[in-house]
Amino acid sequence: MKGSCLSVMAAAILLPASAMAADAPAAIDTGDTAWMLISTALVLMMTVPGLALFYGGMVRKKNVLATLIQSFAICCIASLVWMVAGYSLAFSNGTPWIGDLSRALLNGVAANFHNGVDSAFTLGAGTAAAVPMTIPESVYMMFQMTFAVITPALITGAYAERMKFSSMCVFTILWLLVVYAPIAHWVWSPTGWVAGLGAVDFAGGTVVHINSGVAGLVCAYVLGKRRGIGTDDMSPFNLTYAIIGASLLWVGWFGFNAGSALGANGRAGMAMLTTQLAAAAGGVAWMIVEWARTGKPTALGIISGVVAGLVAITPAAGFVLPGGAVVIGLIAGAVCFWSATWLKHALGYDDSLDAFGVHGTGGIIGALLTGVLAYGPLSATDANPKGTVGSLSELLAQAEAVCVTIVWCVIMTFVILKILDRVMGLRVSAEEELEGLDTTMHGERIN
């Protein structure tokens, strides 16, 4: 799962016996750590400004600032929630269903420092599934924080232009603790029960994209459609913003996927390559399907296809070869176009910016195809020399992971929304929606 242990081996050869006591801290790999610091910054850039601009460019002028500030505010809120309890619930040992609070408020993270130098740590220490790391826990925690930031921010695309800002803030806190943290623990913690099934998710197909997409679908149904949809002009205010945002997402996604190798190694290199190819294939597939259906390839369509390809390759990036990545991207681009157009209208929900149409659908496609296209040597280890290999049994494990994620997310997101609606209300008034959230929620506007 991690990078090379060469630095630790070298230290063992060079250090005198007195320095090799059993309790000596593990040395970090500086190359792995440097790559993870860069990856963390890249993933943070995906939310601010990437997703903020991507979504902000697709809403009407009267809601642009409100949409931009949603991503920015969620970045602030989620970072604190992750530090207080989210990280501990997701990645401490606890039970197979949820972590404990042993790392609440980052308790114990500072204990890794020795003589002013942070040391490597072991994820799942003390368990049979423990995974030695080559990076400091502070870096790992921060990298995972950026995932916890972008996931609730993705949901905002489904309820854009109609949720109260105060309700969004409280929803983000509750959803991270009740929905995101448990699923992250199931899938990514060494002690998680979904990981024990043999299901894999390299960088967030289930944890991030299916989770956020399905939550967005529930939000769209609970809040109802935007007023005037079908009669008023809902055209995006500024697709230039959206294109810039999509471009930042594309670049940031290399940190998202290649960073999930958790080291500067060959698997990170393959994950970066498969990410690029799937994104390109997704953009081409959406463009061709839209061109054939409407006679014109749109800018919004091409960038949506690229994001669909990026979403679908996320769970598979470190498990498939370049050819498999192209297949995943082509399928995702075409199917997500169908989901964001025909399916949305057929089922009658208003997923404003296609959070489910792209992220939910693309995440499901990627998770399932990982079970079909996985190439064993990419993930082989001494403990598992065959690695994860595409097969019927692996496909079934992936399908089970997808299903449990959907079920938990639907039930708990619905419960959270209903409680908030009863306590503080979810949706802005008709007058506020007509005037626009920039003015009514924030007292500002674009001139």
Side-chain angles (χ1 to χ4, degrees):
M1 181 179 179
K2 303 297 173 288
S4 169
C5 294
L6 290 178
S7 61
V8 178
M9 294 171 60
I13 294 171
L14 296 174
L15 287 175
S18 60
M20 294 172 58
D23 59 351
I28 66 170
D29 185 300
T30 55
D32 289 350
T33 303
W35 169 238
M36 293 310 300
L37 289 169
I38 293 170
S39 295
T40 300
L42 286 171
V43 182
L44 182 60
M45 184 186 73
M46 290 174 67
T47 304
V48 285
L51 186 69
L53 287 169
F54 183 62
Y55 278 172
M58 289 193 283
V59 297
R60 290 168 289 177
K61 182 179 180 180
K62 61 186 180 180
N63 295 314
V64 172
L65 291 176
T67 303
L68 291 170
I69 204 60
Q70 283 179 341
S71 289
F72 204 93
I74 286 174
C75 184
C76 298
I77 294 168
S79 296
L80 295 176
V81 171
W82 194 245
M83 179 261 189
V84 172
Y87 174 70
S88 189
L89 291 174
F91 290 103
S92 59
N93 293 340
T95 71
W97 298 276
I98 190 68
D100 53 39
L101 293 175
S102 61
R103 280 293 194 260
L105 293 169
L106 303 190
N107 175 57
V109 173
N112 293 324
F113 273 86
H114 300 273
N115 297 324
V117 178
D118 205 353
S119 59
F121 79 110
T122 299
L123 187 64
T127 71
V131 181
M133 293 283 188
T134 59
I135 60 176
E137 187 173 6
S138 58
V139 175
Y140 181 76
M141 180 271 179
M142 178 66 184
F143 181 67
Q144 290 295 344
M145 177 191 289
T146 60
F147 283 63
V149 164
I150 197 170
T151 307
L154 290 170
I155 304 172
T156 65
Y159 59 72
E161 303 190 297
R162 59 197 189 277
M163 183 183 274
K164 293 165 61 177
F165 184 77
S166 57
S167 299
M168 182 216 73
C169 293
V170 179
F171 171 77
T172 297
I173 296 170
L174 296 177
W175 191 86
L176 278 171
L177 295 174
V178 176
V179 181
Y180 181 85
I183 292 177
H185 182 78
W186 299 349
V187 177
W188 284 338
S189 171
T191 60
W193 73 273
V194 172
L197 297 174
V200 295
D201 181 2
F202 191 70
T206 49
V207 180
V208 176
H209 296 296
I210 296 176
N211 211 4
S212 62
V214 170
L217 181 62
V218 176
C219 288
Y221 273 120
V222 172
L223 269 78
K225 297 181 180 181
R226 288 168 290 176
R227 292 177 173 86
I229 192 167
T231 56
D232 295 351
D233 182 8
M234 298 285 180
S235 299
F237 164 64
N238 193 329
L239 282 178
T240 301
Y241 288 176
I243 293 171
I244 294 171
S247 302
L248 291 167
L249 284 170
W250 192 339
V251 175
W253 226 288
F254 294 126
F256 203 74
N257 286 358
S260 291
L262 300 178
N265 50 48
R267 202 172 182 194
M270 182 60 77
M272 180 172 282
L273 175 58
T274 56
T275 298
Q276 175 69 14
L277 292 173
V284 169
W286 189 302
M287 177 181 68
I288 291 173
V289 172
E290 185 179 43
W291 206 339
R293 181 178 176 185
T294 67
K296 294 180 180 179
T298 65
L300 181 58
I302 294 172
I303 63 175
S304 297
V306 166
V307 173
L310 290 166
V311 168
I313 195 60
T314 293
F319 293 102
V320 302
L321 294 174
V326 172
V327 171
I328 290 172
L330 290 172
I331 294 173
V335 176
C336 289
F337 172 83
W338 166 81
S339 180
T341 54
W342 183 88
L343 182 64
K344 179 166 65 173
H345 295 299
L347 298 183
Y349 59 86
D350 181 18
D351 177 8
S352 308
L353 308 180
D354 296 316
F356 176 75
V358 173
H359 295 277
T361 304
I364 292 170
I365 291 169
L368 295 178
L369 288 179
T370 302
V372 176
L373 299 171
Y375 177 67
L378 289 176
S379 55
T381 63
D382 291 340
N384 180 22
K386 291 185 178 180
T388 299
V389 181
S391 63
L392 178 59
S393 61
E394 187 61 36
L395 175 61
L396 292 175
Q398 293 298 104
E400 186 171 356
V402 168
C403 290
V404 298
T405 298
I406 291 173
V407 170
W408 180 261
C409 184
V410 167
I411 293 173
M412 300 314 298
T413 301
F414 181 81
V415 170
I416 291 170
L417 289 171
K418 284 298 184 181
I419 292 174
L420 288 180
D421 195 27
R422 179 67 64 89
V423 173
M424 59 191 303
L426 286 174
R427 186 161 178 164
V428 298
S429 67
E431 293 76 17
E432 290 172 328
E433 189 172 343
L434 180 63
E435 186 175 350
L437 305 190
D438 288 2
T439 301
T440 59
M441 292 292 103
H442 306 288
E444 300 164 303
R445 69 172 69 216
I446 295 176
N447 295 320

